Amino acid sequence: MGEIKLWAIGIAEVREMFAASHALTRELVAHSDLHVPPTRKLPGLLGKLGPLLRVAPDAPVVPADRPTRADADNLLQGRFVSADRLDVSWGLVEEWLAYRAWSHHVLRLDERSADALDFDLARAGVASRYGVRHFWSRDASLPLRPIPGMHVGYLRYGTAVDVADAWSDGLRAVEAPSHEAAAELVRWLAELPHWSGEAAGAGRPQPDVVTIARL
């Protein structure tokens, strides 16, 4: 089953994570589950030969499934990320989004069930421009490239509120199993005005809806 993950956070706040100030860097690193390789010194002749070898015998192994401080630094400074570190890097971005966003919601949908939901919404009178894929129709313009099969985008606050209203009006005509997924998302989106007020009080941007979809 695929996933569509949504976060209530200003798109500008997401983009600033890829050109982070010193203060934001410290904050995000402090709230990251980063792999810290153990340090050890090999004894005897092997230890002395280490600097002469292409790869030192005591060099730490970089885990394939855990982000490191180097991964974090590459993201926070907007550097190129190699293909073998994309998965863990996106995992780290999602960790930061969960920390900074006002709220988070997940839709469990694959291509077929997303199409079925869009069909049911259209049949209920919801305009096609408010379909499921509309949630990532605007390019998030992040320096980290998506993994194949991943979609990254966002909706502006006002558009997301319009989507919630349109879906809410059509819910009565949407049948199971699409109804449950649509109703849960409408309830989540209905909190956007509340989070907007919280953001204003905290001096933060109005929350948009940032989406990472893997169908």
Side-chain angles (χ1 to χ4, degrees):
M1 178 65 72
E3 287 185 332
I4 301 174
K5 297 181 179 181
L6 307 104
W7 291 268
I9 182 173
I11 187 63
E13 293 185 292
V14 178
R15 290 170 180 160
E16 74 177 355
M17 297 192 305
F18 295 87
S21 64
H22 292 304
L24 181 58
T25 293
R26 289 194 299 270
E27 182 180 355
L28 292 178
V29 168
H31 288 83
S32 303
D33 182 18
L34 300 177
H35 172 77
V36 180
T39 57
R40 61 188 179 92
K41 184 71 174 178
L42 292 180
L45 182 60
L46 188 58
K48 294 178 181 179
L49 288 175
L52 302 179
L53 302 176
R54 183 176 298 274
V55 178
D58 61 344
V61 176
V62 177
D65 59 346
R66 290 280 305 280
T68 65
R69 177 58 193 264
D71 293 317
D73 287 342
N74 285 338
L75 292 172
L76 293 166
Q77 297 177 37
R79 297 174 184 156
F80 173 79
V81 174
S82 60
D84 62 312
R85 304 305 293 172
L86 280 177
D87 194 48
V88 294
S89 295
W90 275 111
L92 189 52
V93 169
E94 292 188 12
E95 191 176 328
W96 292 341
L97 287 171
Y99 164 65
R100 301 194 79 200
W102 297 101
S103 185
H104 175 217
H105 184 72
V106 179
L107 279 173
R108 309 289 181 182
L109 298 174
D110 55 19
E111 289 280 1
R112 179 175 295 181
S113 53
D115 287 341
L117 176 54
D118 274 345
F119 177 80
D120 288 345
L121 288 169
R123 190 172 57 179
V126 176
S128 60
R129 67 180 182 276
Y130 292 148
V132 173
R133 288 169 178 79
H134 190 55
F135 281 92
W136 57 88
S137 60
R138 292 181 68 107
D139 186 0
S141 300
L142 304 181
L144 182 63
R145 66 193 188 280
I147 299 168
M150 174 190 286
H151 307 279
V152 183
Y154 74 104
L155 289 181
R156 289 291 187 191
Y157 171 85
T159 305
V161 170
D162 290 342
V163 171
D165 290 341
W167 283 36
S168 181
D169 290 342
L171 272 180
R172 290 184 296 274
V174 175
E175 300 178 355
S178 295
H179 185 277
E180 182 178 357
E184 289 180 355
L185 181 53
V186 167
R187 284 193 290 270
W188 184 76
L189 291 172
E191 294 297 316
L192 278 171
H194 169 71
W195 300 322
S196 180
E198 293 287 323
R204 291 177 56 183
Q206 196 172 47
D208 303 305
V209 174
V210 175
T211 303
I212 297 177
R214 296 178 176 90
L215 300 180

